[in-house]
Amino acid sequence: MKAIEIRNKYLNFFKAHGHKIIPSAPLIPENDPSVLFTTAGMQPLVPYLLGEKHPEGTRITDYQKCLRTNDIDEVGDNRHLTFFEMLGNWSLGDYFKDEAIAMSYEFLTKELHIDPNKLSVTCFAGDEDAPKDMVAANAWKRAGIPEDRIYFYGKSDNWWIAGEEGPCGPDTEMFLDTGKSACGPDCQPSCGCGKYVEIWNNVFMEYYKSKDGSITKLKQQNVDTGLGLERMTMLLQGKETPFDTELFLPVMEKLKELAKVEYIESRRIVAEHLRASMMIIADGGRPSNIDRGYVLRRLIRRMTRHLNKLQINLDELGGLVDLYVETLKELYPELIDKKEVIKETILEEKDKFVKTLANGEREFEKVSKKAKQENKNTIEAYDIFKLYETYGFPPEITADLAKEQGFEIDLTGFEKLFKEHQEKSRMGSEQKFKGGLAEQNEQTIKYHTATHLLNAALKVVVNKDIHQKGSNITTERMRFDFSCDHKLTDEEKQKVEDLVNEWIKQDLPVTIQTMKKEDAVKSGAECMFIEKYPDDVTVYTIGDVSKEICGGPHVKHTGELGHFKIKKEEASSAGVRRIKAVLE
Ligand code: SER
């Protein structure tokens, strides 16, 4: 079965069970400064897991583009990916364990035709926070899983939370027996030897973990499930790695054809990083030196190095992008429109890096030769730092090279040197940029302030209960999503535009204050997801027209913005409208 068929089967199965299908949210979270990328299907749904009403109801099913970078260095083996897709079904205070488990079992055995004898499941063993999950275990028994294939584990295996704080709960995980021989008499799903592969996770989110570690019950009992599309595709096709499925195969084969040397690891790294970079760029990400921009930069640089290693001419990159668009366009049609910007971004970034790479590699060879002569097995912090400072050579690439030549590397020492260096060169320019801005420059900062003015103007002109639902800013334009039950009339649009321009003309001061979250809320400051902010927040006030909790940055006076113009007003999703606007 192809990936697209698995996705369609999944969505249709849950649709038939009363779920509404919603499309993937962008890979770059629209309004969540707490994470760089969407790392799980639950992230865009957090407000609804916490009790806000979802416009599509209490049963939702979706496919979500995700990116996880914690294992970036493992990519190249036979299973790790940074970008992947997660299929999910969601109960927002609707069904709970019994129904979720019955549906999972039915989908796996009846729709995907997985042999029930190959399924094992794991449930939460219980501790002071929640009891042993006999409800889940009994539901599995009723579905048809015998007792000896139901395992109980503690929090490290069967409790799910994204990060340190947030909605969470015990989970039950499904494993497929690959038929490989057991690693020993005690071989179990948890042992990770490869015999059992996790295929799906049902999280029963009825708790909230606060920063102080305390766990309390949520208002409602939710179900959050996640089924990794690449892995399922691989298993159903009987393939050993996701790289052998139709998602990667055309590009893997092209790389093989172009390469002058056979390094399977490098081909996988190129194929994986290129796909991830394309998906990030398609969703608006651009390379930079901070946060998510740096992740993208890192992916492109690492890919470039491995193309070099394979002795593939870097001019082939454009063709590889074309091939990937062809390969993935059915799953991700957004790639078609974004093809040119993807190409430009990747090629430009590659060009910037090529010289650094050549110089850095040459210098690294000197360092490693010297280390070998001196019988050392470690690349010292000083050398890593010198490569970085003098040649702009990224430490993670030094680490890659070192690993390939069998060296240890003192990255901790490097970090220390790097910090000392940073302290010295810091010129007091506080660069703390947060708040959903992919890249900050003069123009995006202006747009950021304009979103606050627009938010305020909509309240005055249209309805005081309008709330921001999202925003996205590039150097060219701003996009602003807000709750509203009707299409704005031409008159409303005109009035909103006029009011924003009036405030710009008044050259209102933009001021910033730090305060306790509760005080900020009491003072009437607007915010989107109060749960997500730290205890101390910054509040931006514009004259007496707007007050919002926000990480900034903003302009100092509204007069800096220029002329504000609404370009488009359209529906975004049920009950949410979207305005695209520019500053001229
Ligand atoms: N949130 C869970 C996960 O990411 C299930 O979707 O595994």
Side-chain angles (χ1 to χ4, degrees):
M1 210 180 294
K2 282 185 162 181
I4 185 87
E5 291 167 62
I6 299 173
R7 186 206 270 172
N8 289 339
K9 256 185 198 278
Y10 189 98
L11 298 177
N12 288 330
F13 174 82
F14 283 99
K15 189 175 168 197
H17 286 79
H19 294 64
K20 285 274 170 57
I21 302 176
I22 60 167
S24 176
L27 203 47
I28 296 177
E30 295 224 295
N31 263 295
D32 187 348
S34 65
V35 286
L36 296 182
F37 295 99
T38 303
T39 59
M42 53 80 72
Q43 257 155 15
L45 294 167
V46 168
Y48 311 106
L49 294 165
L50 299 179
E52 194 177 308
K53 260 177 105 82
H54 195 288
E56 299 289 351
T58 54
R59 288 177 176 225
I60 307 275
T61 183
D62 65 2
Y63 56 97
Q64 178 61 50
K65 297 180 269 189
C66 300
L67 193 99
R68 292 186 183 171
T69 51
N70 34 350
D71 288 329
I72 202 166
D73 293 326
E74 307 298 327
V75 174
D77 66 4
N78 59 4
R79 62 193 180 95
H80 282 94
L81 301 175
T82 58
F83 172 83
F84 64 100
E85 174 173 321
M86 210 180 242
L87 299 169
N89 56 286
W90 308 88
S91 158
L92 303 169
D94 192 306
Y95 57 85
F96 206 41
K97 299 179 184 179
D98 287 346
E99 205 177 331
I101 287 173
M103 286 190 289
S104 287
Y105 187 82
E106 187 187 337
F107 181 71
L108 291 176
T109 57
K110 300 268 162 43
E111 297 287 324
L112 299 185
H113 307 294
I114 290 178
D115 178 356
N117 295 317
K118 291 187 177 165
L119 289 174
S120 301
V121 299
T122 66
C123 300
F124 184 53
D127 66 6
E128 64 284 2
D129 291 322
K132 181 170 180 179
D133 202 348
M134 287 313 294
V135 179
N138 287 329
W140 283 121
K141 270 192 247 171
R142 276 197 304 279
I145 303 272
E147 211 155 325
D148 62 350
R149 279 192 269 125
I150 302 177
Y151 296 81
F152 290 91
Y153 299 126
K155 274 225 173 72
S156 57
D157 287 288
N158 282 98
W159 186 277
W160 203 90
I161 182 166
E164 295 298 314
E165 190 191 359
C168 58
D171 67 20
T172 181
E173 299 182 5
M174 289 147 257
F175 288 78
L176 186 71
D177 184 342
T178 57
K180 287 185 188 144
S181 49
C183 58
D186 296 327
C187 185
Q188 295 192 4
S190 64
C191 77
C193 71
K195 178 175 174 56
Y196 298 96
V197 181
E198 187 202 330
I199 50 173
W200 199 353
N201 186 6
N202 281 8
V203 187
F204 304 117
M205 288 194 160
E206 58 170 328
Y207 299 100
Y208 189 91
K209 186 173 176 199
S210 307
K211 250 217 187 108
D212 63 9
S214 62
I215 290 188
T216 47
K217 279 222 166 176
L218 284 172
K219 271 190 259 167
Q220 62 190 37
Q221 291 182 320
N222 308 289
V223 179
D224 148 22
T225 92
L227 181 157
L229 182 65
E230 287 79 358
R231 189 178 294 175
M232 186 57 91
T233 307
M234 163 187 108
L235 290 168
L236 291 183
Q237 295 178 3
K239 299 282 165 62
E240 284 285 314
T241 84
F243 299 100
D244 299 311
T245 67
E246 81 280 6
L247 300 168
F248 295 96
L249 204 57
V251 172
M252 286 295 284
E253 299 208 311
K254 183 75 193 168
L255 290 171
K256 191 170 187 171
E257 183 191 314
L258 296 171
K260 304 214 172 46
V261 280
E262 166 62 24
Y263 291 125
I264 178 85
E265 250 211 357
S266 292
R267 280 200 285 132
R268 287 177 185 157
I269 292 172
V270 172
E272 202 288 330
H273 287 5
L274 178 57
R275 187 176 85 133
S277 305
M278 289 174 63
M279 298 307 299
I280 297 173
I281 297 167
D283 277 357
R286 296 293 176 268
S288 77
N289 270 339
I290 52 163
D291 297 343
R292 56 177 72 110
Y294 193 68
V295 173
L296 176 58
R297 173 156 283 173
R298 211 176 143 183
L299 288 167
I300 300 177
R301 286 173 168 180
R302 194 150 180 257
M303 170 183 78
T304 307
R305 187 173 90 74
H306 284 275
L307 279 168
N308 265 350
K309 205 173 152 194
L310 291 163
Q311 297 177 30
I312 294 177
N313 187 329
L314 295 178
D315 293 338
E316 300 287 351
L317 254 175
L320 288 167
V321 170
D322 289 336
L323 179 60
Y324 245 143
V325 174
E326 278 307 303
T327 309
L328 298 174
K329 67 182 181 194
E330 220 182 340
L331 281 166
Y332 309 109
E334 63 269 35
L335 291 175
I336 303 170
D337 275 357
K338 298 285 162 60
K339 189 160 97 176
E340 289 315 313
V341 61
I342 290 172
K343 251 191 224 174
E344 263 167 44
T345 311
I346 292 181
L347 295 182
E348 210 174 278
E349 185 63 21
K350 176 263 299 175
D351 287 344
K352 275 191 210 157
F353 185 54
V354 173
K355 212 159 152 235
T356 309
L357 181 61
N359 290 341
E361 281 187 325
R362 201 186 50 237
E363 289 309 308
F364 179 84
E365 283 314 312
K366 289 187 196 159
V367 170
S368 70
K369 203 166 147 200
K370 190 157 161 266
K372 274 179 208 149
Q373 277 164 2
E374 291 169 5
N375 268 333
K376 284 189 188 158
N377 59 358
T378 303
I379 302 294
E380 301 296 346
Y382 168 80
D383 289 318
I384 312 168
F385 186 71
K386 190 161 164 246
L387 278 163
Y388 170 75
E389 214 208 354
T390 319
Y391 302 97
F393 205 54
E396 62 271 8
I397 301 269
T398 306
D400 264 3
L401 288 168
K403 198 168 136 197
E404 282 171 18
Q405 298 194 12
F407 284 106
E408 302 282 323
I409 172 164
D410 183 8
L411 277 176
T412 322
F414 166 78
E415 291 288 337
K416 218 173 130 222
L417 287 178
F418 180 71
K419 285 221 177 83
E420 282 168 15
H421 172 79
Q422 253 189 339
E423 278 307 313
K424 273 189 227 150
S425 61
R426 200 169 54 193
M427 303 293 287
S429 65
E430 276 291 326
Q431 282 202 336
K432 203 156 174 290
F433 291 136
K434 273 191 176 172
L437 290 179
E439 198 164 16
Q440 288 83 15
N441 55 41
E442 238 173 74
Q443 197 58 20
T444 53
I445 292 170
K446 284 182 192 168
Y447 274 122
H448 193 185
T449 309
T451 61
H452 287 219
L453 290 182
L454 175 59
N455 195 7
L458 285 164
K459 286 188 217 299
V460 176
V461 175
V462 185
N463 182 338
K464 65 173 182 6
D465 292 327
I466 279 179
H467 287 291
Q468 177 173 354
K469 285 288 172 192
S471 79
N472 176 280
I473 290 170
T474 69
T475 19
E476 283 82 38
R477 57 112 184 101
M478 58 180 271
R479 206 172 77 198
F480 185 80
D481 293 350
F482 57 102
S483 57
C484 180
D485 58 5
H486 67 276
K487 180 172 172 55
L488 297 194
T489 62
D490 288 346
E491 198 193 337
E492 281 174 328
K493 275 190 278 186
Q494 192 59 52
K495 278 194 179 158
V496 167
E497 201 175 286
D498 291 346
L499 188 54
V500 171
N501 282 317
E502 176 57 31
W503 287 335
I504 293 177
K505 216 168 89 202
Q506 288 171 7
D507 200 17
L508 302 168
V510 183
T511 54
I512 173 172
Q513 264 174 295
T514 306
M515 49 175 109
K516 288 262 166 279
K517 183 158 80 174
E518 305 86 81
D519 297 337
V521 175
K522 267 189 229 146
S523 78
E526 164 96 8
C527 70
M528 283 201 302
F529 306 133
I530 190 69
E531 301 81 4
K532 288 197 188 167
Y533 290 95
D535 290 340
D536 290 314
V537 295
T538 48
V539 173
Y540 278 86
T541 307
I542 309 180
D544 58 2
V545 308
S546 154
K547 192 176 215 180
E548 288 194 31
I549 297 181
C550 173
H554 284 280
V555 302
K556 297 262 180 308
H557 284 91
T558 57
E560 295 168 42
L561 298 187
H563 187 260
F564 173 82
K565 179 135 195 63
I566 295 180
K567 286 282 185 193
K568 205 171 185 184
E569 192 270 346
E570 60 191 357
S572 165
S573 58
V576 179
R577 307 286 308 172
R578 168 170 289 179
I579 282 182
K580 290 191 180 142
V582 294
L583 291 169
E584 298 170 333

